[in-house]
């Protein structure tokens, strides 16, 4: 018992200080990037540039929120990019080719995404297959369905939908945001509440810490794991809807490799890939870092688009190294 | 009496339970489906000293995938995974094409050999980096290789400057598109790599060491195996295989495309390994199964083209195959499905299953 106290004491206080370290580092990086950008380029240091990062990455934010849930349980979801593409495709084809109302299409799309996530979650839990392979199959399935619907890009011309897409919500100081940003922020708030203040959220962290212990503690492991993949599926579908609002079209090759962006955002946000540790706020910061890299590269003008990938790779490397250092010191 | 009765039943069950049974069955089934739809499917003929036929085509177009999958098998056997192979494919093709376009005489054999050497050297170096990240720093393999997967695509585009580099070099064309001794050169390369790998891992202790590292890295280190060096070597080998595959792909079309070369090949390779019965948890591997798995994927693609199903649906079929194979290999699923079937006649065989599996 005394040894318990001895080991629990220092490690608990260490954890208290280090818990927020990854998130703080990401926040610091974000501030540094913004400062450097502001000093280097004219017209960079304005509120609208920040809001544009949100506008251009609202869909990624929503997808990354879903991915955070999955990664916190120690799993991974490779199907998100494909589900985003499938959602844009279904939205576009139903509205343009079949004349459905958006009010019917959007719930249907969200239902499809959630159902796909539910099925994958069930396969992962009940048949004990690795999440990596199951979601890979899900990715193939969703991309395949896209191509079955059509191989060409379908543009959306439905009046109500385009009106929503073009709505600019004015903010003080002649700034504006799009409807997508509002939806994305709402998703972030709801998800943060679920993760940090509900029983489901505590279960997610517990399973990520140790599934075996969670099971022995009598937590509903099956329900939580399946719920997590369903949430990810729902978020991907919603991300797809936002993507179709952003581009006003559906295309089977949309969001190619978005699963990597989402995973990168979660990792840069300080969530441990082994699960059990991380914050939703970190993911938001991670998405902003990725968005700001693109903004800086477009401001620079002379750098080509592939530098984005190289920078993201480097950042991933640095942050994973950092995670490794922290977890090594902790143990 | 009892023992005599049991003899044949066990051997029939052993055939079905052999780890290569299901992949082989799927391959045979796919080939039969092809014979049904295209009558002359199995015929192979000799034209201008080259062998032609659908079977040869499957082997030829499947060659890069088989190569990548062989490397992937060893990585997965150590309990790791390498997501960066697609990027390495793109980088090695891009670098060799860039080198060849810089040559004064694109037909010079030494120039092409240097290009190949440089490209494979870089691939080897990238593999070493992966290995050091995994074994030296101790990062999860899926994440360590994710870095190169993301950054590597950018690197390949940087090398080609975002363009598609085209070369016009007969010696380079030989690697992926040429014939030697009536057989496609790529197939010969695959056979050579497969032969060397099989010799090193199955005739030497190397395979056993790899499997023991995959089974339990810490325990094998305590047993005196240099698990760290072994893991680095395995990642380097995997990247080298991917590099050769990249040369083949770019040489077959005489151009390098940093964006699309080797796109999703890592997923196909992992799929091939899984279909071949190698467990993703590591600890055992089957090279023969991997080759079968890669052939299944390539045959599936060919079948879809030859039957006349729109090629866009290939992914749907892949999804079905992945799901089916994974379910068949999942012990949990087998138990649930088999129990239901077997419970009626007898409960004993189900409980005997795990005992039989241990030595196998």
């Amino acid at each position: 018992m005394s040894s318990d106290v001895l080991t629990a004491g220092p490690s608990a206080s260490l954890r208290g200080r280090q818990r927020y370290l990854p998130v703080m580092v990401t926040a610091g990086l974000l501030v540094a990037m913004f400062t450097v950008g502001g000093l280097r380029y004219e017209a960079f240091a304005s509120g609208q540039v920040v809001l544009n990062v949100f506008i251009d990455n609202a869909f990624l934010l929503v997808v990354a929120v879903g991915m955070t849930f999955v990664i916190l349980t120690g799993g991974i979801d490779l199907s998100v990019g494909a589900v985003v593409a499938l959602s844009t495709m279904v939205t576009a084809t139903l509205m343009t080719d079949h004349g459905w109302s958006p009010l019917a299409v959007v719930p249907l799309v969200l239902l499809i995404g959630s159902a796909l996530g539910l099925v994958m979650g069930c396969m992962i839990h009940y048949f004990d297959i690795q999440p990596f392979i199951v979601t890979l199959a899900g990715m193939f399935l969703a991309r395949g369905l896209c191509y079955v619907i059509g191989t060409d890009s379908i543009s959306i011309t439905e009046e109500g939908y385009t009106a929503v897409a073009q709505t600019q919500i004015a903010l003080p100081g002649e700034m504006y945001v799009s409807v997508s940003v509002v939806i994305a922020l709402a998703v972030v708030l709801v998800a943060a509440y679920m993760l940090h203040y509900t029983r489901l959220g505590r279960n997610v962290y517990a399973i990520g810490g140790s599934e075996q212990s969670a099971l022995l503690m009598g937590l509903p492991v099956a329900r939580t794991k399946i719920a997590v993949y369903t949430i990810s599926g729902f978020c991907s579908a919603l991300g797809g809807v936002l993507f179709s609002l952003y581009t006003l079209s559906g295309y089977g090759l949309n969001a190619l490799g978005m699963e990597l962006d989402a995973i990168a955002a979660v990792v840069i946000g300080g969530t441990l890939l082994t699960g059990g540790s991380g914050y939703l706020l970190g993911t938001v910061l991670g998405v902003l870092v990725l968005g700001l890299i693109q903004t800086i590269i477009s401001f620079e003008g002379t750098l080509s688009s592939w530098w984005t990938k190289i920078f993201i790779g480097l950042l991933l490397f640095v942050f994973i190294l950092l995670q490794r250092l922290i977890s090594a010191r902790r143990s | 009496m009892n023992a005599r009765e049991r003899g044949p039943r066990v051997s029939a069950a052993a055939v079905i339970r052999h780890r290569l049974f299901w992949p082989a069955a799927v391959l045979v089934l796919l080939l039969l489906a092809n014979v049904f739809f295209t009558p002359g499917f199995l015929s192979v003929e000799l034209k201008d000293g080259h062998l032609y036929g659908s079977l040869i085509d499957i082997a030829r177009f499947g060659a890069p995938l088989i190569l990548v999958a062989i490397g992937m098998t060893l990585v997965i056997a150590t309990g790791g995974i390498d997501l960066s192979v697609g990027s390495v494919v793109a980088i090695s093709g891009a670098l060799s094409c860039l080198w060849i376009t810089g040559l004064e005489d694109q037909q010079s054999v030494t120039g092409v050999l240097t290009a190949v050497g440089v490209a494979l050297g870089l691939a080897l170096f990238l593999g070493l980096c992966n290995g050091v990240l995994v074994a030296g720093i101790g990062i999860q393999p899926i994440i360590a290789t994710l870095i190169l997967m993301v950054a590597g695509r950018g690197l390949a585009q940087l090398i080609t400057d975002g363009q598609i580099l085209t070369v016009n070099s007969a010696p380079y064309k030989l690697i992926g598109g040429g014939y030697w001794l009536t057989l496609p050169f790529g197939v010969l390369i695959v056979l050579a790599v497969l032969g060397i790998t099989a010799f090193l891992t199955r005739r030497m202790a190397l395979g056993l060491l790899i499997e023991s590292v995959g089974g339990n890295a810490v325990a094998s280190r305590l047993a005196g195996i240099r698990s760290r060096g072994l893991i680095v070597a395995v990642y380097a080998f995997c990247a080298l295989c991917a590099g050769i595959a990249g040369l083949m792909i770019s040489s077959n079309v005489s151009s390098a495309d940093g964006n699309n070369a080797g796109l999703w090949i890592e997923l196909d390779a992992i799929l091939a390994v899984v279909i071949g019965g190698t467990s993703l948890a590591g600890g055992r591997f089957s090279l023969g199964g991997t080759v079968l798995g890669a052939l299944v994927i390539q045959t599936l693609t060919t079948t879809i083209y030859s039957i006349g199903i729109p090629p866009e649906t290939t992914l749907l079929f892949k999804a079905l195959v992945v799901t089916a194979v994974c379910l068949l290999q999942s012990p949990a699923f087998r138990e649930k499905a088999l129990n239901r079937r077997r419970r009626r006649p007898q409960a004993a065989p189900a409980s005997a299953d795990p005992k039989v599996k241990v030595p196998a």
Side-chain angles (χ1 to χ4, degrees):
Chain A
M1 229 186 112
S2 63
S3 72
D4 263 15
V5 174
L6 276 177
T7 50
S11 82
S13 70
L14 257 182
R15 214 170 276 171
R17 257 184 282 140
Q18 291 196 340
R19 240 166 66 180
Y20 298 104
L21 185 64
V23 179
M24 301 294 277
V25 171
T26 312
L29 177 74
L30 197 62
V31 172
M33 278 169 67
F34 193 70
T35 318
V36 170
L39 292 176
R40 254 180 90 88
Y41 317 111
E42 268 177 62
F44 187 89
S46 78
Q48 192 56 49
V49 170
V50 179
L51 292 180
N52 280 342
V53 171
F54 274 104
I55 293 172
D56 295 338
N57 291 288
F59 48 89
L60 180 61
L61 189 57
V62 174
V63 172
V65 164
M67 185 68 87
T68 312
F69 276 83
V70 174
I71 289 183
L72 276 176
T73 63
I76 201 151
D77 189 348
L78 293 181
S79 70
V80 290
V83 175
V84 166
L86 179 62
S87 304
T88 64
M89 207 63 191
V90 171
T91 312
T93 186
L94 284 184
M95 276 199 265
T96 305
D97 301 342
H98 301 276
W100 283 39
S101 150
L103 293 177
V105 172
V106 172
L108 179 71
V109 165
L110 295 181
L111 198 69
I112 294 175
S114 310
L116 212 61
L118 181 77
V119 171
M120 290 192 294
C122 287
M123 278 182 66
I124 290 167
H125 183 77
Y126 289 114
F127 300 135
D128 202 19
I129 310 174
Q130 293 205 358
F132 181 79
I133 287 294
V134 173
T135 54
L136 180 65
M139 176 180 129
F140 284 154
L141 182 74
R143 285 263 180 233
L145 285 175
C146 286
Y147 293 138
V148 171
I149 294 174
T151 49
D152 296 324
S153 171
I154 306 171
S155 59
I156 298 173
T157 48
E158 215 275 341
E159 278 175 19
Y161 206 71
T162 46
V164 171
Q166 286 158 357
T167 305
Q168 295 185 345
I169 300 167
L171 294 179
E174 290 184 21
M175 296 188 287
Y176 66 91
V177 291
S178 61
V179 177
S180 306
V181 177
V182 177
I183 297 176
L185 289 180
V187 168
V188 168
L189 286 180
V190 171
Y193 176 78
M194 278 171 73
L195 210 48
H196 301 304
Y197 296 101
T198 64
R199 204 172 287 174
L200 176 75
R202 302 317 302 167
N203 292 345
V204 166
Y205 278 99
I207 290 177
S210 165
E211 192 176 329
Q212 192 70 26
S213 311
L215 200 65
L216 292 174
M217 275 161 69
L219 297 179
V221 172
R223 210 197 314 152
T224 312
K225 266 172 89 176
I226 293 170
V228 157
Y229 287 95
T230 314
I231 290 173
S232 178
F234 175 84
C235 284
S236 311
L238 186 58
V241 171
L242 297 188
F243 197 95
S244 68
L245 272 177
Y246 183 65
T247 59
L248 278 181
S249 67
Y251 185 34
L253 283 175
N254 269 340
L256 210 58
M258 189 189 263
E259 50 279 349
L260 298 179
D261 285 342
I263 294 171
V266 174
V267 171
I268 291 174
T271 301
L272 280 188
L273 277 152
T274 40
S277 163
Y279 299 94
L280 208 64
L281 176 67
T283 300
V284 177
L285 295 178
V287 170
L288 288 183
V289 167
L290 293 191
L292 214 51
I293 290 178
Q294 274 166 352
T295 311
I296 289 181
I297 282 173
S298 65
F299 261 84
E300 184 68 37
T302 53
L303 285 178
S304 311
S305 62
W306 49 83
W307 281 102
T308 317
K309 286 178 188 162
I310 297 181
F311 279 131
I312 294 177
L314 282 176
L315 266 188
L316 260 180
F317 174 67
V318 172
F319 273 82
I320 287 165
L321 220 56
L322 185 82
Q323 280 193 1
R324 183 67 201 151
L325 282 176
I326 291 172
S327 56
R329 223 197 285 171
R330 207 181 270 173
S331 64
Chain B
M1 269 287 279
N2 206 359
R4 229 184 239 175
E5 249 181 42
R6 209 183 246 174
R9 210 206 308 163
V10 167
S11 72
V15 170
I16 291 180
R17 215 178 289 128
H18 190 273
R19 55 163 106 150
L20 294 188
F21 174 77
W22 286 108
V26 172
L27 184 60
V28 169
L29 212 67
L30 277 174
L31 290 175
L32 284 180
N34 269 306
V35 173
F36 183 73
F37 281 102
T38 35
F41 184 75
L42 291 178
S43 71
V44 173
E45 49 188 274
L46 201 63
K47 260 188 218 161
D48 310 329
H50 303 335
L51 284 175
Y52 278 100
S54 300
L55 289 180
I56 302 289
D57 276 347
I58 289 176
R60 194 164 85 105
F61 293 121
L65 179 61
I66 298 176
L67 262 184
V68 174
I70 289 173
M72 188 70 82
T73 309
L74 295 190
V75 169
I76 289 180
T78 65
I81 204 153
D82 190 348
L83 295 182
S84 69
V85 285
S87 294
V88 174
V89 162
I91 291 174
S92 96
L95 190 61
S96 62
C97 283
L98 183 72
W99 191 277
I100 290 173
T101 49
L103 290 176
E104 271 180 26
D105 175 21
Q106 294 200 1
Q107 311 303 328
S108 98
V109 176
T110 39
V112 169
L113 281 180
T114 340
V116 168
V118 169
L120 292 186
L122 182 65
L124 205 59
F125 170 75
L126 292 174
L128 283 176
C129 291
N130 275 338
V132 169
L133 283 183
V134 172
I137 305 181
I139 301 173
Q140 275 172 288
I142 188 172
I143 306 310
T145 52
L146 181 70
I147 299 172
L148 186 57
M149 181 186 184
V150 176
R153 281 271 157 220
L155 211 60
Q157 279 165 291
L158 184 68
I159 293 173
T160 61
D161 205 21
Q163 310 286 315
I164 293 178
L165 287 179
T166 46
V167 294
N168 182 16
S169 163
Y172 190 61
K173 181 81 186 168
L174 174 73
I175 301 173
Y179 284 82
W180 196 53
L181 295 177
T182 73
L183 278 173
F185 197 69
V187 174
L188 293 173
I189 296 179
V190 168
L191 286 178
V193 172
L194 184 65
I196 294 170
T197 317
F199 176 75
L200 284 178
T201 55
R202 290 308 185 202
R203 288 280 163 257
M204 307 245 182
L206 198 60
L208 196 66
L209 299 186
I210 289 175
E211 287 182 335
S212 80
V213 169
N216 188 334
V218 178
S220 47
R221 186 171 56 79
L222 294 177
I225 297 170
R226 281 203 220 149
S227 60
R228 217 170 258 188
L230 207 59
I231 290 178
V232 174
V234 162
Y235 278 92
F237 174 72
C238 182
L240 185 66
C241 285
I244 301 174
L247 294 179
M248 260 184 217
I249 291 174
S250 79
S251 122
N252 193 25
V253 289
S254 283
S255 65
D257 180 354
N259 234 342
N260 294 317
L263 200 64
W264 307 132
I265 203 171
E266 58 275 345
L267 300 180
D268 275 349
I270 295 168
L271 191 57
V273 174
V274 172
I275 292 177
T278 299
S279 154
L280 275 175
R284 61 169 194 173
F285 67 94
S286 159
L287 285 174
T290 297
V291 174
L292 271 181
L295 286 175
V296 165
I297 294 176
Q298 189 58 43
T299 313
L300 185 68
T301 315
T302 313
T303 311
I304 285 166
Y305 277 109
S306 62
I307 291 183
I309 303 171
E312 297 89 47
T313 50
T314 316
L315 283 172
L316 273 187
F317 283 91
K318 266 187 198 165
L320 286 181
V321 171
V322 184
T323 315
V325 169
C326 283
L327 285 181
L328 281 174
Q329 287 183 350
S330 146
F333 178 79
R334 270 197 211 163
E335 210 167 279
K336 276 171 192 158
L338 292 183
N339 261 355
R340 216 161 282 159
R341 236 188 294 151
R342 281 191 190 172
R343 202 165 275 163
R344 263 166 283 152
Q346 213 176 12
S351 67
D353 265 357
K355 274 187 201 161
V356 179
K357 246 186 231 161
V358 174

